[in-house]
Amino acid sequence: MGKLCNSGTFPKGFSKFLLVMKLTIVLLLLGTTFAFSTTTYSQNAKISLSMQNVPVKEVFRAIERQSEFVFFYQDQQLDLSRKTSIEVSEKDITDVLQQLFLGTNNVFIIRDRQIVIGKSQKKIEHSDYAVQRVFKEPEQQLPVTGRITDASTGGSLPSVNILVEGTTIGTTSDADGKYSLNVPAVNSVLLFSFVGYVPQRIPLNSRTTLDVVMTPDITELQEVVTIGYGIQKKVNLSGAVDVISSREIENRPVNNVVQALQGLSPNLNVIVGNEGGELGGKNLLNIRGIGSISGSGGTPYILVDGIEQDIYNINPDDVENISILKDAAASAIYGARAAFGVILVTTKKGKSGGITLNYSTNLSYASPMHLPKPMNSIDFAEYMNLGAANDGAAAVFQS
């Protein structure tokens, strides 16, 4: 069995770890490497020892007591009872271990606070003490931060994809359009991309702050339009069709989609219904004004993702775009139901590139502004009897 630190056995599953360590030691021998080190704790810690004719195991314990180093080894690869003497003062751990294993078959690997002891096929002589960095030191990373905004509105852009060119290092902007990313080099190039916007490729040039303004891709936004039988390029589309995107309604402080449509499409009228302006009251939609069939001009045929639904059941934040078919050509697709126009609502679908969470709430309450002051029962009875007398009838209340 192997040892962990001073005593005890390895936990279950540790054999895989030992196999990895053995392979690492093979690489060590092929590179004629005696020790490895990185610019970490191992180079900063200093060891002082004064021990005479003690077992190697006691030296390990003394090192662990005065530092944060931990030893890993297998019993069959290390003679723990071998007596040794060592005198060092404020030395690096590499120098201490080189002196400790001089003339033995043992080699070691230092990774920060972990020291792995292995066994070589030949004894380590002084000429083998060249310290080489077989593991490449991690390149110094440069933290880069910034904010991404929309060129047309000036608002923040969330969920924008940011990628370091030529690598798999990337991130996305948060709800405020801000991002933070560690890049491998000061001359790295960042790639910014977002659906509906022109992609950008910007070299850092040693900058640590990079704010980006993204321009909407008008060609992409207006390329296709949802119609009754699928989608069609807008340049090939004939007929009166209006398209309203989610960007046009997302910043409106409204409770339903009908309120969000007000003023966005010509000839689409939003009329106060029979419920008036009461809480929860519904408005009526009308396209092309009042007709002769009904006094209200008739309501348009409303489809949500191809299914007839009440438009008031749709959350405005779930809308991707709305197509409004105004002319009589819609009747060729939907028949008599389209006599007063058609409103096609397309909801948002899942997208790759991170999670976006938006939260909004609306609170309202109602209370009467004025309440009448009721009279007492005696006055009420007297007024009722007076009214009856004026009408030539008998008194309502008898004394």
Side-chain angles (χ1 to χ4, degrees), residues 343-383:
I343 297 179
L344 304 176
V345 181
T346 303
T347 58
K348 295 178 180 178
K349 306 297 188 297
K351 297 179 181 178
S352 61
I355 298 175
T356 301
L357 177 64
N358 296 319
Y359 172 78
S360 64
T361 183
N362 291 279
L363 175 65
S364 60
Y365 66 92
S367 63
M369 297 177 62
H370 177 73
L371 291 175
K373 183 179 180 181
M375 66 178 64
N376 57 47
S377 58
I378 296 298
D379 292 340
F380 177 79
E382 290 177 352
Y383 279 109

Side-chain angles (χ1 to χ4, degrees), residues 222-245 248 264-268 287-288 321-331 333-334 341-346:
Q222 297 184 352
E223 185 178 2
V224 297
V225 175
T226 303
I227 55 178
Y229 42 85
I231 60 175
Q232 184 174 346
K233 289 186 177 180
K234 193 169 185 178
V235 295
N236 299 330
L237 182 65
S238 62
V241 178
D242 273 341
V243 180
I244 301 172
S245 68
E248 297 177 81
L264 292 182
S265 175
N267 298 325
L268 176 64
I287 297 177
R288 300 190 306 270
N321 62 70
I322 300 175
S323 296
I324 303 174
L325 313 183
K326 302 178 183 179
D327 59 7
S331 299
I333 306 169
Y334 299 105
V342 181
I343 297 179
L344 304 176
V345 181
T346 303

Side-chain angles (χ1 to χ4, degrees), residues 122-330:
K122 65 174 184 177
K123 289 186 178 182
I124 303 301
E125 304 298 338
H126 187 75
S127 59
D128 297 319
Y129 281 172
V131 178
Q132 302 179 19
R133 289 188 174 96
V134 171
F135 296 124
K136 292 180 64 177
E137 285 192 29
E139 297 180 356
Q140 186 68 29
Q141 292 190 332
L142 178 69
V144 178
T145 59
R147 183 170 178 262
I148 304 174
T149 55
D150 187 335
S152 58
T153 65
S156 303
L157 277 181
S159 301
V160 176
N161 295 317
I162 304 106
L163 183 68
V164 180
E165 188 178 52
T167 72
T168 58
I169 302 173
T171 186
T172 58
S173 58
D174 61 16
D176 297 324
K178 297 179 180 179
Y179 70 93
S180 177
L181 183 67
N182 290 327
V183 300
V186 296
N187 58 347
S188 298
V189 178
L190 297 187
L191 306 177
F192 297 85
S193 61
F194 190 63
V195 176
Y197 287 78
V198 178
Q200 295 197 36
R201 179 183 181 274
I202 304 177
L204 276 180
N205 296 328
S206 303
R207 289 176 290 180
T208 58
T209 301
L210 181 60
D211 295 332
V212 179
V213 179
M214 299 197 70
T215 305
D217 190 347
I218 305 301
T219 302
E220 180 177 342
L221 291 177
Q222 297 184 352
E223 185 178 2
V224 297
V225 175
T226 303
I227 55 178
Y229 42 85
I231 60 175
Q232 184 174 346
K233 289 186 177 180
K234 193 169 185 178
V235 295
N236 299 330
L237 182 65
S238 62
V241 178
D242 273 341
V243 180
I244 301 172
S245 68
S246 59
R247 294 184 182 87
E248 297 177 81
I249 65 176
E250 63 184 2
N251 293 323
R252 291 194 162 197
V254 296
N255 294 324
N256 54 67
V257 177
V258 174
Q259 293 176 349
L261 290 175
Q262 286 183 298
L264 292 182
S265 175
N267 298 325
L268 176 64
N269 307 308
V270 180
I271 308 169
V272 177
N274 298 329
E275 299 158 330
E278 68 180 23
L279 293 175
K282 295 183 178 181
N283 297 326
L284 300 177
L285 289 174
N286 171 272
I287 297 177
R288 300 190 306 270
I290 297 176
S292 60
I293 296 180
S294 64
S296 63
T299 57
Y301 188 35
I302 299 174
L303 297 174
V304 179
D305 291 333
I307 302 173
E308 184 179 6
Q309 292 189 40
D310 186 351
I311 197 171
Y312 281 91
N313 295 333
I314 306 301
N315 184 349
D317 292 330
D318 293 338
V319 174
E320 180 70 30
N321 62 70
I322 300 175
S323 296
I324 303 174
L325 313 183
K326 302 178 183 179
D327 59 7

